[in-house]
Amino acid sequence: MFSFSTKQKWIISWSLFGLAVLAGIGTIFYLFDFIIVAIVLLSLAGLGFFGLMILWFIFERYNKKH
């Protein structure tokens, strides 16, 4: 992440924060036995983290070319 631009760092940081909040809300729903809602929120957070990893690699490849 050292070679990322400031804009790219903000995108990664705020995306991580948003996905962590989504996972936290899903965990709270799980603790209150709203299982279906918890599964949906935690699944979205997991897919979001996977998408963020792909975005990270795209940023790295872009920065190596430029």
Side-chain angles (χ1 to χ4, degrees), residues 9 11-12 18 44 53:
K9 287 180 185 178
I11 291 170
I12 297 289
L44 287 174
M53 286 189 300

Side-chain angles (χ1 to χ4, degrees), residues 31-47:
L31 293 175
F32 287 110
D33 290 330
F34 294 106
I35 303 299
I36 301 299
V37 177
I39 289 172
V40 169
L41 290 176
L42 291 170
S43 297
L44 287 174
L47 290 172

Side-chain angles (χ1 to χ4, degrees), residues 1 4 8 13 15 17 20 23 29 35 38 42-44 46 48 55-56 60 62 66:
M1 196 159 165
F4 286 2
Q8 291 171 340
S13 298
S15 296
F17 178 74
F29 275 114
I35 303 299
L42 291 170
S43 297
L44 287 174
L55 186 66
W56 180 292
E60 281 186 352
Y62 176 79
H66 290 89

